[in-house]
């Protein structure tokens, strides 16, 4: 379920301190009912590339088209990412947290930090510097669940245009498929 931005901005997350120059693009309640200490389980699920791929064919097609466009326009060339075009958000952490647990890297994302109730991972290319933030929040019914926020810092007008162009695809195809995959994998883990 899509949530208002205030569901993310009203919480006292560490990410607010280190990503002040990013805007909150999307916030979602994740279908991951659990207990107070289950965030790390959800983080491992994100980082685990094994298991069935329940994403839709259309979602996989869009991803394939995105990678081909990235090659054509040079969006993902070496030198366009973290540590090259942009500094890692990890550099903005207080010293004691920089030495703490980072969490796992996955796919194109580099983990920034992992705490008991929140995790952040980042990626960058020529279009955008983005953060995937997963928080672990009370669900209002005595349990807990994940809450995902996507924060972005577009790279110039091209980045703004890119984010606007992909918005309908994110809402109509990518996010519904992602929520289905998250729920499916969470249920499989819960059953084992």
């Amino acid at each position: 379920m899509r949530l208002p931005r205030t569901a993310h901005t009203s919480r006292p997350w560490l990410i607010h301190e280190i990503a002040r120059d990013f805007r909150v693009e999307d916030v979602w309640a994740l279908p991951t009912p659990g207990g107070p200490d289950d965030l790390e389980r959800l983080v491992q699920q994100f980082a685990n590339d094994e298991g069935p791929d329940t994403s839709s064919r259309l979602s996989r097609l869009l991803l394939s088209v995105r990678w081909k466009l990235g090659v054509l326009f040079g969006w993902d060339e070496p030198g366009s990412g973290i540590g090259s075009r942009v500094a890692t958000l990890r550099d903005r952490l207080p010293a004691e947290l920089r030495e703490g647990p980072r969490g796992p890297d996955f796919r194109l994302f580099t983990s920034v930090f992992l705490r008991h109730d929140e995790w952040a991972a980042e990626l960058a290319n020529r279009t955008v510097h983005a953060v995937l933030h997963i928080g672990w929040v009370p669900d209002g019914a005595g349990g807990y669940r994940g809450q995902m926020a996507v924060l972005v810092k577009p790279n110039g007008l091209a980045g703004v245009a890119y984010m606007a162009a992909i918005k309908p695809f994110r809402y109509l195809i990518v996010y519904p498929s992602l929520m289905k995959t998250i729920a499916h994998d969470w249920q499989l883990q819960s059953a084992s």
Side-chain angles (χ1 to χ4, degrees):
M1 171 172 58
R2 189 166 173 221
L3 299 172
R5 288 184 173 115
T6 55
H8 174 78
T9 59
S10 65
R11 297 198 171 271
W13 302 121
L14 171 62
I15 195 66
H16 301 316
E17 300 300 316
I18 67 168
R20 292 181 192 274
D21 49 340
F22 286 67
R23 77 168 190 260
V24 178
E25 184 75 14
D26 297 305
V27 183
W28 294 86
L30 299 178
T32 55
D37 302 319
D38 283 339
L39 175 64
E40 193 165 332
R41 177 180 156 208
L42 180 57
V43 169
Q44 290 305 319
Q45 178 179 314
F46 267 83
N48 183 2
D49 282 335
E50 298 173 21
D53 182 3
T54 57
S55 61
S56 71
R57 287 184 191 154
L58 190 52
S59 184
R60 290 191 301 269
L61 174 66
L62 283 175
L63 189 58
S64 175
V65 168
R66 162 52 185 92
W67 291 125
K68 288 178 183 173
L69 289 172
V71 169
L72 179 67
F73 293 112
W75 292 337
D76 307 307
E77 290 177 350
S80 66
I82 304 297
S84 302
R85 187 181 71 75
V86 298
T88 177
L89 289 176
R90 193 152 175 83
D91 292 345
R92 299 180 183 185
L93 290 171
E96 66 276 7
L97 290 176
R98 264 184 264 138
E99 303 304 319
R102 228 174 35 92
D105 296 339
F106 73 103
R107 297 188 184 136
L108 300 175
F109 285 87
T110 302
S111 191
V112 177
F113 66 85
L114 175 63
R115 298 173 65 185
H116 179 74
D117 64 347
E118 69 178 307
W119 172 56
E122 64 185 335
L123 71 77
N125 57 39
R126 292 207 190 283
T127 62
V128 70
H129 186 180
V131 177
L132 173 69
H133 181 269
I134 305 293
W136 198 246
V137 299
D139 65 6
Y144 291 79
R145 63 163 170 76
Q147 179 172 294
M148 180 178 78
V150 176
L151 293 80
V152 298
K153 186 176 176 183
N155 185 21
L157 290 176
V160 171
Y162 172 80
M163 292 304 297
I166 67 170
K167 189 172 189 170
F169 299 105
R170 287 194 333 260
Y171 289 127
L172 296 173
I173 299 164
V174 175
Y175 284 131
S177 179
L178 179 62
M179 294 304 140
K180 182 180 175 184
T181 299
I182 290 169
H184 177 267
D185 291 351
W186 189 260
Q187 289 171 354
L188 278 179
Q189 281 186 1
S190 297
S192 56

